[in-house]
PDB file of all heavy atoms in Angstrom:
ATOM      1  N   VAL X 207      -1.881 -24.645 -29.217  1.00 89.00           N
ATOM      2  CA  VAL X 207      -0.532 -24.190 -28.739  1.00 89.00           C
ATOM      3  C   VAL X 207       0.462 -24.224 -29.895  1.00 89.00           C
ATOM      4  O   VAL X 207       1.257 -23.289 -30.086  1.00 89.00           O
ATOM      5  CB  VAL X 207      -0.038 -25.144 -27.562  1.00 89.00           C
ATOM      6  CG1 VAL X 207       1.327 -24.693 -27.077  1.00 89.00           C
ATOM      7  CG2 VAL X 207      -1.018 -25.119 -26.435  1.00 89.00           C
ATOM      8  N   ALA X 210      -0.089 -21.394 -32.219  1.00 91.00           N
ATOM      9  CA  ALA X 210       0.346 -20.042 -31.637  1.00 91.00           C
ATOM     10  C   ALA X 210       1.845 -19.942 -31.780  1.00 91.00           C
ATOM     11  O   ALA X 210       2.340 -18.837 -32.108  1.00 91.00           O
ATOM     12  CB  ALA X 210      -0.083 -20.004 -30.178  1.00 91.00           C
ATOM     13  N   ILE X 211       2.622 -20.954 -31.540  1.00 91.00           N
ATOM     14  CA  ILE X 211       4.059 -20.936 -31.627  1.00 91.00           C
ATOM     15  C   ILE X 211       4.412 -20.775 -33.123  1.00 91.00           C
ATOM     16  O   ILE X 211       5.328 -19.924 -33.442  1.00 91.00           O
ATOM     17  CB  ILE X 211       4.764 -22.203 -31.058  1.00 91.00           C
ATOM     18  CG1 ILE X 211       4.475 -22.214 -29.538  1.00 91.00           C
ATOM     19  CG2 ILE X 211       6.222 -22.212 -31.335  1.00 91.00           C
ATOM     20  CD1 ILE X 211       4.881 -23.534 -28.828  1.00 91.00           C
ATOM     21  N   LEU X 278      10.753 -21.648 -26.752  1.00 93.00           N
ATOM     22  CA  LEU X 278       9.635 -21.943 -27.640  1.00 93.00           C
ATOM     23  C   LEU X 278       9.826 -23.251 -28.379  1.00 93.00           C
ATOM     24  O   LEU X 278       8.853 -24.023 -28.540  1.00 93.00           O
ATOM     25  CB  LEU X 278       9.419 -20.779 -28.648  1.00 93.00           C
ATOM     26  CG  LEU X 278       8.608 -19.567 -28.114  1.00 93.00           C
ATOM     27  CD1 LEU X 278       8.725 -18.425 -29.100  1.00 93.00           C
ATOM     28  CD2 LEU X 278       7.157 -19.914 -27.943  1.00 93.00           C
ATOM     29  N   MET X 280      11.605 -25.798 -27.389  1.00 93.00           N
ATOM     30  CA  MET X 280      11.479 -26.907 -26.490  1.00 93.00           C
ATOM     31  C   MET X 280      10.009 -27.219 -26.136  1.00 93.00           C
ATOM     32  O   MET X 280       9.591 -28.370 -26.074  1.00 93.00           O
ATOM     33  CB  MET X 280      12.262 -26.517 -25.149  1.00 93.00           C
ATOM     34  CG  MET X 280      13.784 -26.446 -25.383  1.00 93.00           C
ATOM     35  SD  MET X 280      14.591 -25.799 -23.911  1.00 93.00           S
ATOM     36  CE  MET X 280      14.802 -27.303 -22.960  1.00 93.00           C
ATOM     37  N   ILE X 281       9.222 -26.107 -25.966  1.00 93.00           N
ATOM     38  CA  ILE X 281       7.805 -26.254 -25.690  1.00 93.00           C
ATOM     39  C   ILE X 281       7.117 -26.998 -26.909  1.00 93.00           C
ATOM     40  O   ILE X 281       6.348 -27.939 -26.723  1.00 93.00           O
ATOM     41  CB  ILE X 281       7.091 -24.944 -25.409  1.00 93.00           C
ATOM     42  CG1 ILE X 281       7.631 -24.311 -24.091  1.00 93.00           C
ATOM     43  CG2 ILE X 281       5.588 -25.032 -25.412  1.00 93.00           C
ATOM     44  CD1 ILE X 281       7.262 -22.858 -23.881  1.00 93.00           C
ATOM     45  N   TYR X 282       7.493 -26.547 -28.142  1.00 93.00           N
ATOM     46  CA  TYR X 282       6.876 -27.120 -29.328  1.00 93.00           C
ATOM     47  C   TYR X 282       7.098 -28.604 -29.387  1.00 93.00           C
ATOM     48  O   TYR X 282       6.170 -29.377 -29.637  1.00 93.00           O
ATOM     49  CB  TYR X 282       7.495 -26.446 -30.561  1.00 93.00           C
ATOM     50  CG  TYR X 282       6.759 -26.643 -31.837  1.00 93.00           C
ATOM     51  CD1 TYR X 282       5.629 -25.897 -32.161  1.00 93.00           C
ATOM     52  CD2 TYR X 282       7.146 -27.680 -32.717  1.00 93.00           C
ATOM     53  CE1 TYR X 282       4.974 -26.091 -33.360  1.00 93.00           C
ATOM     54  CE2 TYR X 282       6.462 -27.882 -33.907  1.00 93.00           C
ATOM     55  CZ  TYR X 282       5.331 -27.079 -34.192  1.00 93.00           C
ATOM     56  OH  TYR X 282       4.666 -27.301 -35.370  1.00 93.00           O
ATOM     57  N   MET X 284       7.759 -30.605 -26.845  1.00 91.00           N
ATOM     58  CA  MET X 284       7.061 -31.311 -25.773  1.00 91.00           C
ATOM     59  C   MET X 284       5.555 -31.485 -26.073  1.00 91.00           C
ATOM     60  O   MET X 284       4.989 -32.487 -25.813  1.00 91.00           O
ATOM     61  CB  MET X 284       7.239 -30.571 -24.457  1.00 91.00           C
ATOM     62  CG  MET X 284       8.653 -30.664 -23.889  1.00 91.00           C
ATOM     63  SD  MET X 284       8.771 -30.083 -22.182  1.00 91.00           S
ATOM     64  CE  MET X 284       8.308 -28.358 -22.319  1.00 91.00           C
ATOM     65  N   VAL X 285       4.988 -30.408 -26.627  1.00 90.00           N
ATOM     66  CA  VAL X 285       3.560 -30.544 -26.974  1.00 90.00           C
ATOM     67  C   VAL X 285       3.297 -31.569 -28.049  1.00 90.00           C
ATOM     68  O   VAL X 285       2.370 -32.376 -27.972  1.00 90.00           O
ATOM     69  CB  VAL X 285       2.989 -29.089 -27.368  1.00 90.00           C
ATOM     70  CG1 VAL X 285       1.500 -29.196 -27.793  1.00 90.00           C
ATOM     71  CG2 VAL X 285       3.106 -28.140 -26.208  1.00 90.00           C
ATOM     72  N   THR X 289       4.932 -34.813 -23.957  1.00 86.00           N
ATOM     73  CA  THR X 289       5.774 -34.970 -22.765  1.00 86.00           C
ATOM     74  C   THR X 289       5.755 -33.674 -21.928  1.00 86.00           C
ATOM     75  O   THR X 289       5.357 -32.632 -22.484  1.00 86.00           O
ATOM     76  CB  THR X 289       7.239 -35.306 -23.150  1.00 86.00           C
ATOM     77  OG1 THR X 289       7.691 -34.309 -24.053  1.00 86.00           O
ATOM     78  CG2 THR X 289       7.332 -36.672 -23.772  1.00 86.00           C
ATOM     79  N   TYR X 290       6.182 -33.775 -20.707  1.00 86.00           N
ATOM     80  CA  TYR X 290       6.197 -32.624 -19.792  1.00 86.00           C
ATOM     81  C   TYR X 290       7.529 -32.412 -19.188  1.00 86.00           C
ATOM     82  O   TYR X 290       8.359 -33.333 -19.122  1.00 86.00           O
ATOM     83  CB  TYR X 290       5.173 -32.912 -18.640  1.00 86.00           C
ATOM     84  CG  TYR X 290       3.735 -32.778 -19.068  1.00 86.00           C
ATOM     85  CD1 TYR X 290       3.048 -33.831 -19.697  1.00 86.00           C
ATOM     86  CD2 TYR X 290       3.017 -31.569 -18.896  1.00 86.00           C
ATOM     87  CE1 TYR X 290       1.779 -33.725 -20.060  1.00 86.00           C
ATOM     88  CE2 TYR X 290       1.699 -31.501 -19.233  1.00 86.00           C
ATOM     89  CZ  TYR X 290       1.047 -32.545 -19.855  1.00 86.00           C
ATOM     90  OH  TYR X 290      -0.238 -32.441 -20.224  1.00 86.00           O
ATOM     91  N   ALA X 291       7.837 -31.149 -18.799  1.00 87.00           N
ATOM     92  CA  ALA X 291       9.103 -30.890 -18.079  1.00 87.00           C
ATOM     93  C   ALA X 291       8.805 -29.830 -17.020  1.00 87.00           C
ATOM     94  O   ALA X 291       7.890 -29.050 -17.166  1.00 87.00           O
ATOM     95  CB  ALA X 291      10.137 -30.404 -19.080  1.00 87.00           C
ATOM     96  N   ILE X 296      14.093 -27.590 -17.565  1.00 90.00           N
ATOM     97  CA  ILE X 296      14.539 -26.739 -18.694  1.00 90.00           C
ATOM     98  C   ILE X 296      15.811 -26.034 -18.413  1.00 90.00           C
ATOM     99  O   ILE X 296      16.777 -25.985 -19.243  1.00 90.00           O
ATOM    100  CB  ILE X 296      13.348 -25.713 -19.040  1.00 90.00           C
ATOM    101  CG1 ILE X 296      12.199 -26.495 -19.653  1.00 90.00           C
ATOM    102  CG2 ILE X 296      13.882 -24.610 -19.995  1.00 90.00           C
ATOM    103  CD1 ILE X 296      10.969 -25.681 -19.964  1.00 90.00           C
ATOM    104  N   ILE X 313      11.168 -16.001 -18.474  1.00 91.00           N
ATOM    105  CA  ILE X 313      10.904 -16.164 -19.879  1.00 91.00           C
ATOM    106  C   ILE X 313       9.655 -17.037 -20.182  1.00 91.00           C
ATOM    107  O   ILE X 313       8.820 -16.779 -21.013  1.00 91.00           O
ATOM    108  CB  ILE X 313      12.186 -16.736 -20.621  1.00 91.00           C
ATOM    109  CG1 ILE X 313      13.187 -15.665 -20.778  1.00 91.00           C
ATOM    110  CG2 ILE X 313      11.787 -17.334 -22.050  1.00 91.00           C
ATOM    111  CD1 ILE X 313      14.560 -16.115 -21.314  1.00 91.00           C
ATOM    112  N   ILE X 314       9.505 -18.062 -19.302  1.00 90.00           N
ATOM    113  CA  ILE X 314       8.342 -18.947 -19.456  1.00 90.00           C
ATOM    114  C   ILE X 314       7.015 -18.144 -19.194  1.00 90.00           C
ATOM    115  O   ILE X 314       6.045 -18.226 -19.938  1.00 90.00           O
ATOM    116  CB  ILE X 314       8.418 -20.175 -18.490  1.00 90.00           C
ATOM    117  CG1 ILE X 314       9.464 -21.129 -19.047  1.00 90.00           C
ATOM    118  CG2 ILE X 314       7.088 -20.910 -18.392  1.00 90.00           C
ATOM    119  CD1 ILE X 314       9.982 -22.148 -18.072  1.00 90.00           C
ATOM    120  N   ASN X 315       7.093 -17.250 -18.169  1.00 86.00           N
ATOM    121  CA  ASN X 315       5.932 -16.407 -17.931  1.00 86.00           C
ATOM    122  C   ASN X 315       5.651 -15.435 -19.096  1.00 86.00           C
ATOM    123  O   ASN X 315       4.526 -15.151 -19.434  1.00 86.00           O
ATOM    124  CB  ASN X 315       6.061 -15.602 -16.645  1.00 86.00           C
ATOM    125  CG  ASN X 315       5.881 -16.536 -15.388  1.00 86.00           C
ATOM    126  OD1 ASN X 315       5.279 -17.609 -15.487  1.00 86.00           O
ATOM    127  ND2 ASN X 315       6.349 -16.114 -14.279  1.00 86.00           N
ATOM    128  N   ASP X 316       6.752 -14.905 -19.657  1.00 88.00           N
ATOM    129  CA  ASP X 316       6.624 -14.039 -20.824  1.00 88.00           C
ATOM    130  C   ASP X 316       6.000 -14.734 -22.032  1.00 88.00           C
ATOM    131  O   ASP X 316       5.153 -14.207 -22.695  1.00 88.00           O
ATOM    132  CB  ASP X 316       8.029 -13.464 -21.225  1.00 88.00           C
ATOM    133  CG  ASP X 316       8.414 -12.247 -20.383  1.00 88.00           C
ATOM    134  OD1 ASP X 316       7.546 -11.701 -19.684  1.00 88.00           O
ATOM    135  OD2 ASP X 316       9.597 -11.829 -20.473  1.00 88.00           O
ATOM    136  N   ILE X 317       6.446 -15.968 -22.236  1.00 90.00           N
ATOM    137  CA  ILE X 317       5.933 -16.790 -23.346  1.00 90.00           C
ATOM    138  C   ILE X 317       4.454 -17.070 -23.194  1.00 90.00           C
ATOM    139  O   ILE X 317       3.621 -16.905 -24.038  1.00 90.00           O
ATOM    140  CB  ILE X 317       6.749 -18.080 -23.574  1.00 90.00           C
ATOM    141  CG1 ILE X 317       8.151 -17.805 -24.130  1.00 90.00           C
ATOM    142  CG2 ILE X 317       5.976 -19.068 -24.443  1.00 90.00           C
ATOM    143  CD1 ILE X 317       9.070 -18.971 -24.179  1.00 90.00           C
ATOM    144  N   SER X 318       4.096 -17.401 -21.960  1.00 87.00           N
ATOM    145  CA  SER X 318       2.687 -17.717 -21.575  1.00 87.00           C
ATOM    146  C   SER X 318       1.799 -16.504 -21.832  1.00 87.00           C
ATOM    147  O   SER X 318       0.730 -16.602 -22.367  1.00 87.00           O
ATOM    148  CB  SER X 318       2.660 -18.174 -20.127  1.00 87.00           C
ATOM    149  OG  SER X 318       1.313 -18.406 -19.716  1.00 87.00           O
ATOM    150  N   CYS X 319       2.358 -15.325 -21.383  1.00 82.00           N
ATOM    151  CA  CYS X 319       1.623 -14.057 -21.612  1.00 82.00           C
ATOM    152  C   CYS X 319       1.545 -13.678 -23.113  1.00 82.00           C
ATOM    153  O   CYS X 319       0.472 -13.299 -23.616  1.00 82.00           O
ATOM    154  CB  CYS X 319       2.350 -12.955 -20.800  1.00 82.00           C
ATOM    155  SG  CYS X 319       1.555 -11.416 -20.893  1.00 82.00           S
ATOM    156  N   LEU X 321       1.684 -15.700 -25.788  1.00 86.00           N
ATOM    157  CA  LEU X 321       0.785 -16.609 -26.523  1.00 86.00           C
ATOM    158  C   LEU X 321      -0.607 -16.580 -26.037  1.00 86.00           C
ATOM    159  O   LEU X 321      -1.518 -17.141 -26.643  1.00 86.00           O
ATOM    160  CB  LEU X 321       1.356 -18.040 -26.456  1.00 86.00           C
ATOM    161  CG  LEU X 321       2.744 -18.372 -26.965  1.00 86.00           C
ATOM    162  CD1 LEU X 321       3.099 -19.776 -26.765  1.00 86.00           C
ATOM    163  CD2 LEU X 321       2.902 -18.002 -28.444  1.00 86.00           C
ATOM    164  N   GLN X 322      -0.743 -16.013 -24.807  1.00 82.00           N
ATOM    165  CA  GLN X 322      -2.083 -16.025 -24.044  1.00 82.00           C
ATOM    166  C   GLN X 322      -2.590 -17.431 -23.877  1.00 82.00           C
ATOM    167  O   GLN X 322      -3.723 -17.795 -24.093  1.00 82.00           O
ATOM    168  CB  GLN X 322      -3.124 -15.174 -24.845  1.00 82.00           C
ATOM    169  CG  GLN X 322      -2.700 -13.677 -24.864  1.00 82.00           C
ATOM    170  CD  GLN X 322      -3.815 -12.808 -25.400  1.00 82.00           C
ATOM    171  OE1 GLN X 322      -4.495 -13.112 -26.327  1.00 82.00           O
ATOM    172  NE2 GLN X 322      -3.939 -11.681 -24.794  1.00 82.00           N
ATOM    173  N   ILE X 323      -1.605 -18.270 -23.435  1.00 83.00           N
ATOM    174  CA  ILE X 323      -1.925 -19.666 -23.084  1.00 83.00           C
ATOM    175  C   ILE X 323      -1.382 -20.002 -21.697  1.00 83.00           C
ATOM    176  O   ILE X 323      -0.262 -19.679 -21.397  1.00 83.00           O
ATOM    177  CB  ILE X 323      -1.232 -20.573 -24.189  1.00 83.00           C
ATOM    178  CG1 ILE X 323      -1.903 -20.410 -25.475  1.00 83.00           C
ATOM    179  CG2 ILE X 323      -1.257 -22.013 -23.726  1.00 83.00           C
ATOM    180  CD1 ILE X 323      -1.216 -21.052 -26.698  1.00 83.00           C
ATOM    181  N   PRO X 324      -2.237 -20.596 -20.823  1.00 79.00           N
ATOM    182  CA  PRO X 324      -1.753 -20.869 -19.475  1.00 79.00           C
ATOM    183  C   PRO X 324      -0.514 -21.799 -19.538  1.00 79.00           C
ATOM    184  O   PRO X 324      -0.357 -22.616 -20.434  1.00 79.00           O
ATOM    185  CB  PRO X 324      -2.928 -21.627 -18.851  1.00 79.00           C
ATOM    186  CG  PRO X 324      -4.122 -21.402 -19.704  1.00 79.00           C
ATOM    187  CD  PRO X 324      -3.611 -21.039 -21.054  1.00 79.00           C
ATOM    188  N   ARG X 325       0.314 -21.677 -18.534  1.00 76.00           N
ATOM    189  CA  ARG X 325       1.589 -22.379 -18.477  1.00 76.00           C
ATOM    190  C   ARG X 325       1.408 -23.885 -18.535  1.00 76.00           C
ATOM    191  O   ARG X 325       2.166 -24.552 -19.191  1.00 76.00           O
ATOM    192  CB  ARG X 325       2.300 -21.973 -17.234  1.00 76.00           C
ATOM    193  CG  ARG X 325       3.797 -22.331 -17.318  1.00 76.00           C
ATOM    194  CD  ARG X 325       4.561 -21.527 -16.284  1.00 76.00           C
ATOM    195  NE  ARG X 325       4.359 -22.035 -14.931  1.00 76.00           N
ATOM    196  CZ  ARG X 325       4.680 -21.403 -13.820  1.00 76.00           C
ATOM    197  NH1 ARG X 325       5.206 -20.206 -13.915  1.00 76.00           N
ATOM    198  NH2 ARG X 325       4.508 -21.902 -12.679  1.00 76.00           N
ATOM    199  N   ARG X 326       0.373 -24.392 -17.909  1.00 75.00           N
ATOM    200  CA  ARG X 326       0.114 -25.865 -17.863  1.00 75.00           C
ATOM    201  C   ARG X 326      -0.117 -26.374 -19.303  1.00 75.00           C
ATOM    202  O   ARG X 326       0.351 -27.497 -19.615  1.00 75.00           O
ATOM    203  CB  ARG X 326      -1.061 -26.177 -16.990  1.00 75.00           C
ATOM    204  CG  ARG X 326      -0.859 -25.746 -15.588  1.00 75.00           C
ATOM    205  CD  ARG X 326      -2.154 -25.601 -14.842  1.00 75.00           C
ATOM    206  NE  ARG X 326      -3.129 -24.700 -15.403  1.00 75.00           N
ATOM    207  CZ  ARG X 326      -3.005 -23.394 -15.410  1.00 75.00           C
ATOM    208  NH1 ARG X 326      -1.912 -22.818 -14.956  1.00 75.00           N
ATOM    209  NH2 ARG X 326      -4.003 -22.629 -15.885  1.00 75.00           N
ATOM    210  N   SER X 327      -0.754 -25.571 -20.186  1.00 84.00           N
ATOM    211  CA  SER X 327      -0.982 -26.011 -21.551  1.00 84.00           C
ATOM    212  C   SER X 327       0.298 -25.979 -22.362  1.00 84.00           C
ATOM    213  O   SER X 327       0.281 -26.562 -23.457  1.00 84.00           O
ATOM    214  CB  SER X 327      -2.045 -25.153 -22.163  1.00 84.00           C
ATOM    215  OG  SER X 327      -3.221 -25.108 -21.451  1.00 84.00           O
ATOM    216  N   LEU X 328       1.318 -25.374 -21.851  1.00 89.00           N
ATOM    217  CA  LEU X 328       2.615 -25.381 -22.599  1.00 89.00           C
ATOM    218  C   LEU X 328       3.466 -26.541 -22.159  1.00 89.00           C
ATOM    219  O   LEU X 328       4.630 -26.701 -22.497  1.00 89.00           O
ATOM    220  CB  LEU X 328       3.376 -24.051 -22.228  1.00 89.00           C
ATOM    221  CG  LEU X 328       2.732 -22.735 -22.534  1.00 89.00           C
ATOM    222  CD1 LEU X 328       3.582 -21.591 -22.117  1.00 89.00           C
ATOM    223  CD2 LEU X 328       2.419 -22.627 -24.037  1.00 89.00           C
ATOM    224  N   HIS X 329       2.839 -27.474 -21.406  1.00 87.00           N
ATOM    225  CA  HIS X 329       3.516 -28.718 -20.899  1.00 87.00           C
ATOM    226  C   HIS X 329       4.640 -28.439 -19.948  1.00 87.00           C
ATOM    227  O   HIS X 329       5.565 -29.207 -19.837  1.00 87.00           O
ATOM    228  CB  HIS X 329       3.947 -29.577 -22.093  1.00 87.00           C
ATOM    229  CG  HIS X 329       2.792 -30.286 -22.746  1.00 87.00           C
ATOM    230  ND1 HIS X 329       2.789 -31.634 -23.073  1.00 87.00           N
ATOM    231  CD2 HIS X 329       1.540 -29.821 -23.153  1.00 87.00           C
ATOM    232  CE1 HIS X 329       1.590 -31.946 -23.609  1.00 87.00           C
ATOM    233  NE2 HIS X 329       0.820 -30.821 -23.645  1.00 87.00           N
ATOM    234  N   ILE X 330       4.586 -27.266 -19.275  1.00 86.00           N
ATOM    235  CA  ILE X 330       5.651 -26.942 -18.279  1.00 86.00           C
ATOM    236  C   ILE X 330       5.005 -27.064 -16.931  1.00 86.00           C
ATOM    237  O   ILE X 330       3.991 -26.392 -16.577  1.00 86.00           O
ATOM    238  CB  ILE X 330       6.170 -25.545 -18.508  1.00 86.00           C
ATOM    239  CG1 ILE X 330       6.975 -25.535 -19.851  1.00 86.00           C
ATOM    240  CG2 ILE X 330       7.160 -25.130 -17.379  1.00 86.00           C
ATOM    241  CD1 ILE X 330       7.409 -24.185 -20.345  1.00 86.00           C
ATOM    242  N   LEU X 331       5.622 -27.887 -16.092  1.00 81.00           N
ATOM    243  CA  LEU X 331       5.125 -28.071 -14.672  1.00 81.00           C
ATOM    244  C   LEU X 331       6.055 -27.263 -13.789  1.00 81.00           C
ATOM    245  O   LEU X 331       7.271 -27.289 -13.992  1.00 81.00           O
ATOM    246  CB  LEU X 331       5.155 -29.533 -14.225  1.00 81.00           C
ATOM    247  CG  LEU X 331       4.324 -30.501 -15.201  1.00 81.00           C
ATOM    248  CD1 LEU X 331       4.636 -31.921 -14.811  1.00 81.00           C
ATOM    249  CD2 LEU X 331       2.850 -30.192 -15.084  1.00 81.00           C
TER     250      LEU X 331
END
Side-chain angles (χ1 to χ4, degrees):
V207 180
I211 295 173
L278 276 168
M280 293 171 86
I281 292 168
Y282 194 83
M284 288 193 298
V285 175
T289 53
Y290 287 81
I296 289 175
I313 286 175
I314 289 165
N315 285 342
D316 276 350
I317 287 172
S318 178
C319 182
L321 301 178
Q322 295 190 320
I323 290 170
R325 196 161 75 192
R326 300 160 301 291
S327 304
L328 302 176
H329 285 229
I330 294 171
L331 304 171

